[in-house]
Amino acid sequence: GETITCTFTNTKKGHIIVDKVTDPSGDPQSFSFVAGGAGYSNFSLTDAATPNNQEVVPGAYTVSETVPAGWDLTSATCDLGETPASLDVGPGETVTCTFNNQKDAVIIVDKVTDPAGDPTLFDFTTSYGLPFTLADTDTPNNSGDLSPGIYSVTEAAEPGWDPTSATCSDGSPVGSIV
């Protein structure tokens, strides 16, 4: 006359979705992500790729991005009050995180003289760094990584020389390089 009751309990898995957004939009750069937590795997994403969607058991997780050279991480946000460093995924819950990156810019200043190869040094000042000098025979000056913005480069007058042009490859004037 004994009655035995058997109970089966199931816990619905959750999801962690990570989306990649770049500025400029659609850039093909691949970004590597390190995933922390039981069964949560590392992955890579590009801006154009479908967001990474992994099914996970409820629990604590982390996700971080390895930022490639020439890029800045501008934000990393998650919904549901979570942060990438502390994801608490509940049963059946989906947490979505978005990582935004902005590509750095570079300004290269090259000096050209007529006659070619003249060793005269010309003085330059910029809105983004220290003053420098260049001769026609020198390696062009590289600004290094710059955040996107508006910058200027100015060449000081050099006795015995007549400036004939100052142009930028993108059409920006040297006083307002975008």
Side-chain angles (χ1 to χ4, degrees):
E2 178 180 11
T3 301
I4 298 174
T5 303
C6 299
T7 304
F8 292 80
T9 303
N10 297 77
T11 300
K12 189 171 186 177
K13 291 186 176 182
H15 286 265
I16 299 173
I17 298 174
V18 175
D19 192 17
K20 163 57 48 211
V21 177
T22 62
D23 180 12
S25 179
D27 193 279
Q29 175 69 49
S30 181
F31 295 80
S32 297
F33 289 84
V34 176
Y40 189 35
S41 302
N42 296 345
F43 56 94
S44 293
L45 281 175
T46 64
D47 184 31
T50 301
N52 181 275
N53 182 351
Q54 293 187 43
E55 189 175 70
V56 296
V57 297
Y61 296 90
T62 62
V63 62
S64 62
E65 177 185 82
T66 303
V67 180
W71 288 86
D72 294 320
L73 177 63
T74 56
S75 69
T77 59
C78 302
D79 61 1
L80 307 178
E82 306 293 336
T83 67
S86 178
L87 301 170
D88 183 23
V89 181
E93 184 176 67
T94 298
V95 177
T96 302
C97 298
T98 303
F99 286 74
N100 291 280
N101 295 79
Q102 186 175 63
K103 192 171 190 175
D104 289 334
V106 174
I107 297 173
I108 296 173
V109 178
D110 190 17
K111 182 64 197 165
V112 177
T113 60
D114 184 12
D118 191 284
T120 302
L121 288 172
F122 293 81
D123 295 319
F124 292 87
T125 56
T126 70
S127 62
Y128 55 81
L130 297 173
F132 58 91
T133 59
L134 275 179
D136 186 22
T137 55
D138 291 340
T139 300
N141 179 275
N142 183 319
S143 66
D145 290 340
L146 297 172
S147 294
I150 299 175
Y151 298 95
S152 65
V153 177
T154 306
E155 179 184 46
E158 182 65 34
W161 289 88
D162 186 22
T164 53
S165 72
T167 61
C168 295
S169 60
D170 71 343
S172 294
V174 296
S176 185
I177 304 165
V178 180

